[in-house]
Amino acid sequence: LRNYDAPCSFVTGTAVKDEASFKALCTTIDRAASVGAFVVQPSVRDDAEIPWMQRTADYAATQNVALAPQLHNRTRHENAEQAADLVDRVNRKNFGIAFEGSHLLLQRREVRNGAAVRLLGRRILSVCAQDYRLAPGEADAGSYDGTPYKPCLPDDPRGVDLPDVFAALKEMG
């Protein structure tokens, strides 16, 4: 990537629950650093993994890499409230959240779009503009817990309110 002056915005990581998965995520962090990716997106499934994320964040800091799990279904960072609590409990400067608003839409969360950004505030280290819309009655739609959805373009009013998300990010500075 560096040879072609192409940036890498993030690398996907894994959950860490034991020494083997810790070492595997450290290898991912090393590889991310080698291509200039400043964010690795691990996953945290439950509170038992918090000490592992603290240890992993400490290692990532030595490589100038941040850890930022993406807001995602069926994780310990599924919604804005849980994600804020997780970041506060891990309590490392290089541990935050990758904001991705589509999952909040699919979950039909009350706190979503700009409100979720404002709640998370400086805990957000990365933003993804992936967008989905609800798709009731559409035969070829995906499904999350019975909620039908489809991908959509970023300006689709049925999807994430990206102007509200970006306005909230701008407010944060």
Side-chain angles (χ1 to χ4, degrees):
L1 293 174
R2 285 188 181 147
N3 291 343
Y4 296 99
D5 204 24
C8 179
S9 58
F10 73 91
V11 173
T12 302
T14 60
V16 179
K17 61 182 180 187
D18 56 27
E19 195 65 32
S21 55
F22 169 73
K23 287 179 181 177
L25 189 52
C26 287
T27 298
T28 299
I29 291 165
D30 293 341
R31 289 180 181 160
S34 76
V35 297
F38 61 92
V39 174
V40 170
Q41 291 184 350
S43 182
V44 180
R45 293 174 297 206
D46 57 51
D47 287 349
E49 295 175 2
I50 290 174
W52 288 106
M53 276 299 117
Q54 291 169 323
R55 185 175 169 200
T56 307
D58 291 343
Y59 177 78
T62 69
Q63 303 299 312
N64 295 314
V65 171
L67 301 180
Q70 181 177 301
L71 287 173
H72 207 282
N73 305 332
R74 298 181 186 95
T75 64
R76 177 62 177 75
H77 38 91
E78 180 172 271
N79 58 57
E81 298 88 348
Q82 287 178 354
D85 180 64
L86 175 65
V87 172
D88 293 347
R89 291 183 65 195
V90 171
N91 193 28
R92 296 297 190 271
K93 287 183 180 187
N94 66 326
F95 186 89
I97 288 297
F99 184 83
E100 194 281 301
S102 290
H103 295 284
L104 301 175
L105 176 74
L106 300 181
Q107 297 166 16
R108 299 179 186 219
R109 297 286 176 178
E110 283 186 36
V111 178
R112 63 181 186 233
N113 298 320
V117 169
R118 290 176 189 93
L119 187 149
L120 288 164
R122 298 269 179 218
R123 297 174 188 97
I124 298 172
L125 300 182
S126 177
V127 177
C128 175
Q130 170 177 270
D131 207 357
Y132 291 98
R133 64 176 175 80
L134 301 181
E138 295 183 39
D140 58 345
S143 179
Y144 169 73
D145 286 348
T147 300
Y149 69 91
K150 282 185 154 182
C152 65
L153 295 173
D155 61 348
D156 190 323
R158 298 168 295 176
V160 174
D161 186 349
L162 290 173
D164 185 39
V165 166
F166 289 115
L169 289 166
K170 187 174 182 179
E171 289 168 16
M172 291 174 18

